[in-house]
């Protein structure tokens, strides 16, 4: 079945550092891929998405590229801020499915 | 435009008690979902409703029931709560389910449930 694996946290970085959170997936066909973010005390919000191979999703300085050859959708940001501290979830929806499958989440903490 | 709202925000139950978690959305979405979030396990789908009048089991439906009361409201009921149901519960909605639909899900703020 479909599944998502993302790097375990917590990840702690200093402000202005470069961020990468790894995500790989297993799916048949051509899934859509997502990154969701959960700020403390809130529900999840869509951060970015990509619906086909080689697409790049981007939002708020974050980027992720849909790599079918490596079945990956790594999240990157060039210079993180304290306000980026949150839990980040990689997710996919299969090409014939109505449900989204979430990874286990990666907690990110940014030091001033 | 409130988006997705959930009540209550917090609840403590004793083993065997029952309760209903309420969810409503004002975005005229067709599809609604209930998830639970446990440490280290991400979100797991309990039940979903692809459209008004339909409900389907997700990954972890045991011990839960749902009702799609109308297009706006989707409730989750625990008939006899167990400590294993201690979790944070999130409701979500999307315009459509299925491969041809817009699949961004919008989440409510969550209900933190503790079962003693």
């Amino acid at each position: 079945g479909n599944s998502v694996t993302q790097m375990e946290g917590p990840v702690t970085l200093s402000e202005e550092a470069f961020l990468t959170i790894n995500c790989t997936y297993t799916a048949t066909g051509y899934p859509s891929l997502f990154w969701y973010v959960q700020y403390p005390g809130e529900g999840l919000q869509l951060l970015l998405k990509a619906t086909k191979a080689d697409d790049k999703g981007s939002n708020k300085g974050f980027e992720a590229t849909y790599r079918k050859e490596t079945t990956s959708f790594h999240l990157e940001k060039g210079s993180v801020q304290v306000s980026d501290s949150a839990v980040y979830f990689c997710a996919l929806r299969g090409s014939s499915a109505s449900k989204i499958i979430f990874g286990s989440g990666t907690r990110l903490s940014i030091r001033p | 435009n409130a988006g997705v709202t959930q009540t209550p925000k917090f609840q403590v139950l004793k083993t065997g008690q029952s309760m209903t978690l309420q969810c409503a959305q004002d975005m005229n979405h067709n599809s609604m979902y209930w998830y639970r979030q446990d440490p280290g396990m991400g979100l797991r789908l309990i039940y979903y409703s692809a459209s008004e009048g339909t409900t389907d089991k997700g990954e972890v439906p045991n011990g839960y029931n749902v009702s799609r009361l109308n297009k706006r409201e989707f409730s989750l009921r625990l008939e006899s709560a167990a400590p294993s149901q201690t979790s944070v519960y999130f409701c979500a909605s999307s315009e459509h389910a299925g491969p041809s639909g817009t699949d961004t899900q919008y989440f409510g703020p969550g209900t933190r449930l503790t079962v003693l």
Side-chain angles (χ1 to χ4, degrees):
Chain A
N2 296 343
S3 66
V4 175
T5 302
Q6 60 182 107
M7 65 187 288
E8 291 188 20
V11 174
T12 303
L13 296 172
S14 296
E15 204 165 20
E16 299 184 1
F18 184 86
L19 168 71
T20 301
I21 300 178
N22 290 337
C23 172
T24 57
Y25 68 89
T26 301
T28 55
Y30 302 93
S32 296
L33 301 173
F34 309 85
W35 277 100
Y36 279 82
V37 59
Q38 183 181 27
Y39 298 104
E42 299 182 10
L44 279 69
Q45 306 171 24
L46 179 67
L47 179 60
L48 53 85
K49 68 178 181 180
T51 57
K52 60 182 188 293
D54 300 324
D55 267 2
K56 178 184 284 187
S58 61
N59 186 24
K60 299 181 179 180
F62 291 89
E63 293 183 340
T65 301
Y66 187 159
R67 303 280 190 205
K68 192 163 178 63
E69 64 277 13
T70 55
T71 61
S72 65
F73 193 55
H74 304 323
L75 183 68
E76 297 181 336
K77 186 174 185 182
S79 176
V80 293
Q81 306 300 312
V82 172
S83 57
D84 294 326
S85 297
V87 181
Y88 292 81
F89 293 90
C90 186
L92 74 81
R93 187 175 69 80
S95 55
S96 60
S98 58
K99 296 170 285 185
I100 293 180
I101 296 171
F102 288 86
S104 57
T106 302
R107 183 175 298 278
L108 174 67
S109 296
I110 307 300
R111 294 189 298 253
Chain B
N1 188 339
V4 180
T5 57
Q6 294 182 233
T7 55
K9 289 190 186 303
F10 301 94
Q11 183 72 50
V12 178
L13 295 177
K14 295 181 180 178
T15 297
Q17 287 185 315
S18 62
M19 80 161 294
T20 299
L21 281 64
Q22 306 287 352
C23 174
Q25 51 90 9
D26 62 3
M27 295 174 282
N28 201 36
H29 285 168
N30 290 292
S31 303
M32 298 184 73
Y33 312 81
W34 275 106
Y35 293 91
R36 60 178 289 172
Q37 183 182 30
D38 301 297
M41 300 192 73
L43 274 74
R44 293 183 291 169
L45 183 64
I46 304 171
Y47 271 94
Y48 69 103
S49 171
S51 60
E52 187 179 357
T54 69
T55 60
D56 286 285
K57 295 179 180 179
E59 185 183 354
V60 288
N62 291 344
Y64 305 95
N65 286 300
V66 290
S67 295
R68 184 74 183 267
L69 304 170
N70 47 55
K71 191 171 185 180
R72 289 187 64 247
E73 298 173 288
F74 188 40
S75 63
L76 178 72
R77 182 160 179 83
L78 287 70
E79 290 291 351
S80 179
S84 61
Q85 295 178 304
T86 294
S87 189
V88 181
Y89 291 85
F90 288 101
C91 178
S93 70
S94 64
E95 187 173 354
H96 290 289
S100 63
T102 302
D103 46 21
T104 299
Q105 294 191 4
Y106 296 83
F107 284 79
T111 295
R112 187 174 295 275
L113 175 67
T114 301
V115 183
L116 303 175

